[in-house]
Amino acid sequence: MKRIFGTKKEKPKPPTLDEATGRMDSRGNVLDEKIRKLDEQLAQHRAQIKKCRPGPAQEAAKRRALQVLKQKRLYENQRGQLMNQQFNVDQTSFALQSMQDSVQTVQAMKAAGKELKAAFKQPELNINSIENLQDDLADMMDMHQEIQDVLGQNFGIPDDIDEDELMEELDALEDDLAADTEANADGVPSYLQEQDLPAAPSARPGHATAALGEDEFGLPAVPQRT
C-alpha cells in the first residue's frame, strides 16, 4: 500500500523567532565585513587618484572607485533592510514573551486563589471564632490587670486618709525647714549641724585604778566616800 499511495510527508517545523534572529545576526555580520573591505578598497582608490595626473589613468581609477562605491551602497541598503526586519522580529519576540509571562502570571494567580479559598474554609479562620478569641483575650487581660492591682495594694494604710491634709502637713514641714535654715548663719539646718561632743579623757585606762591600790583579794580597791 505504501508503494501505491506513498506516505504522508511531515511538514517541516517553522523556525522559531530565536532562530530567525540568529540567522539575521549572521547575515548582518557578513554584510558588515563586506562593507569594511569595500571601505579599504575605496581608501586605496582615493590614494591612487591623488597620485595620478589628470588623464586616462586617473579616469580609470575613478571608474573603479565608482564601482566599489556602488557595491558599498548596495550592501548598505541591504544592511538597512535587514536591520528593519530584525527590529520587527525583536518586537514580535518581545510581544510573545510578554504574552507568555502574562499567561504564567494568570495561572499563578488562579492557583493562589484556590489556595486562599481552601485556607478560608479552615475552622481556625472563621470570623466569629476569631472575634470570640479576641473577646476572651481582652477579658483575660482585664482579669490579669485586676489581679495585679489587688496584689499591688499596700497593707496597713487606712482608706480614710485625706490627701489634702497630707499636702498641708508637707507644706508646713517645708516652712519649718526654711525657717530653721534662715535662723542659722551658715544656712545649714540644725539637724544637719555637728553637735559639740565632750572632751575625751586625758588619763590612760587603768591609771586611776592603779592609784587607788588593790584590796586583799588582789582586786582594784573601791574608793571610799568621805
Side-chain angles (χ1 to χ4, degrees), residues 122-175:
Q122 296 180 4
E124 291 81 5
L125 295 181
N126 187 285
I127 187 63
N128 295 325
S129 300
I130 295 175
E131 290 179 352
N132 294 333
L133 177 61
Q134 287 291 100
D135 294 338
D136 294 340
L137 290 175
D139 294 339
M140 286 188 285
M141 292 302 296
D142 293 339
M143 292 175 61
H144 172 73
Q145 187 62 39
E146 292 179 1
I147 293 172
Q148 295 300 319
D149 294 340
V150 172
L151 293 177
Q153 291 180 357
N154 295 323
F155 298 104
I157 298 178
D159 296 334
D160 56 350
I161 295 179
D162 191 357
E163 294 185 358
D164 295 335
E165 294 180 359
L166 293 177
M167 294 300 297
E168 292 178 359
E169 185 176 354
L170 180 61
D171 294 339
L173 181 60
E174 291 180 353
D175 294 338

Side-chain angles (χ1 to χ4, degrees), residues 7-65:
T7 58
K8 184 178 181 181
K9 295 182 179 180
E10 296 181 359
K11 294 182 179 181
K13 295 181 179 180
T16 62
L17 292 175
D18 293 336
E19 293 175 353
T21 301
R23 288 171 127 187
M24 289 181 181
D25 289 337
S26 300
R27 289 175 57 193
N29 294 332
V30 172
L31 290 175
D32 290 337
E33 183 65 20
K34 289 182 178 181
I35 292 173
R36 185 186 65 79
K37 290 181 179 180
L38 291 176
D39 286 334
E40 293 177 355
Q41 293 179 13
L42 284 175
Q44 295 175 1
H45 290 313
R46 282 196 296 267
Q48 188 175 3
I49 292 172
K50 290 181 180 179
K51 292 180 181 179
C52 295
R53 295 181 179 179
Q58 190 179 47
E59 293 296 329
K62 288 182 179 180
R63 286 194 297 269
R64 290 194 294 269

